[in-house]
């Protein structure tokens, strides 16, 4: 675990149906290579993984004009 994340957050887990402690597993996707925080969090109660923020979407837009 990263030294900056010494406190494990508690959030409602939809799988457990109660508040649980969440932790970040080692990031295998390169999110932390430049010092950023990995968006993946895992419930310590059931092991369900969730993406919490940090997602960016790029969508190609096509402009059309009616004749």
């Amino acid at each position: 675990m990263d030294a900056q994340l010494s406190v494990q957050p508690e959030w409602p887990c939809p799988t457990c149906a109660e508040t649980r402690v969440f932790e970040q597993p080692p990031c295998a996707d390169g999110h932390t290579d430049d010092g950023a925080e990995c968006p993946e969090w895992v419930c310590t109660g059931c092991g369900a993984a969730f993406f919490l923020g940090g997602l960016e979407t790029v969508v190609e837009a096509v402009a059309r004009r009616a004749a």
Side-chain angles (χ1 to χ4, degrees):
M1 180 184 269
D2 191 323
Q4 296 175 346
L5 300 175
S6 60
V7 176
Q8 293 176 311
E10 292 185 5
W11 292 313
C13 176
T15 305
C16 293
E18 56 188 59
T19 300
R20 296 287 187 159
V21 173
F22 279 73
E23 66 183 12
Q24 286 186 306
C27 183
D29 298 322
H31 296 117
T32 58
D33 290 348
D34 62 357
E37 185 176 293
C38 183
E40 187 173 352
W41 290 85
V42 177
C43 173
T44 59
C46 68
F50 299 96
F51 257 20
L52 302 175
L55 301 177
E56 294 179 11
T57 304
V58 177
V59 178
E60 183 178 330
V62 178
R64 295 187 183 172
R65 227 170 81 173

